[in-house]
Amino acid sequence: MKSHQSAQMMKPATAAKKLGVYLPATPTAFQEGEVSRAELSRLQADPPEWLRELRQNGPHPRPVVAARLGVSIAGLARGGVTEPLTSEQIEALRQESPDWLEKERATQAEVRQEAARLKQRDAEKAAEADSRD
């Protein structure tokens, strides 16, 4: 007896998140349908024009905006950025370099340094434990 494997489907919001795009900016057909894992893989491997356009120009969801500005999502909120931004708006913010952006970038750099320090410390502890065994 053969088992029929059904395709795993995901909601458009989940697919948009995995693709790194802002759902309301996607085509209506994408927003109203479900996306299979195979279809998601095809979209990632060979993106259609609308997806390339969204990824290049936006509007971009907050995680993408935060990454492009080098800050956390919470840092965006503290800076008053709550809406999706286009690539042009992100570049304008970079050029403008407001005080909140510089502060949040510094905070993010400190967080990364601390994470790296902890990772190094844990690796040293693991190596020390291995050498004792």
Side-chain angles (χ1 to χ4, degrees):
M1 181 158 83
K2 289 185 178 178
S3 64
H4 293 287
Q5 198 173 28
S6 63
Q8 284 188 317
M9 302 299 284
M10 63 186 81
K11 294 178 181 177
T14 303
K17 186 175 182 179
K18 289 180 180 286
L19 292 169
V21 295
Y22 182 57
L23 180 61
T26 61
T28 305
F30 182 86
Q31 293 178 37
E32 293 175 352
E34 287 190 325
V35 180
S36 69
R37 292 210 176 268
E39 188 178 352
L40 179 69
S41 293
R42 280 193 301 277
L43 287 170
Q44 289 171 326
D46 185 26
E49 182 59 34
W50 66 264
L51 183 53
R52 285 193 298 269
E53 178 71 22
L54 275 178
R55 285 178 169 170
Q56 183 175 355
N57 300 316
H60 303 287
R62 286 181 300 156
V64 173
V65 173
R68 287 190 176 190
L69 290 174
V71 299
S72 66
I73 295 172
L76 281 180
R78 285 190 292 269
V81 178
T82 57
E83 297 297 317
L85 299 179
T86 63
S87 295
E88 191 175 290
Q89 291 169 315
I90 293 169
E91 187 56 36
L93 261 177
R94 278 191 195 134
Q95 296 299 319
E96 189 179 303
S97 196
D99 290 341
W100 70 265
L101 182 56
E102 293 304 318
K103 181 178 181 249
E104 292 300 332
R105 282 182 169 167
T107 299
Q108 191 71 1
E110 289 173 16
V111 167
R112 286 187 187 120
Q113 284 178 337
E114 180 63 7
R117 185 189 70 78
L118 293 175
K119 185 176 179 180
Q120 176 67 30
R121 182 199 68 190
D122 293 346
E124 288 170 1
K125 283 184 179 179
E128 186 177 305
D130 285 346
S131 68
R132 277 190 245 144
D133 290 342

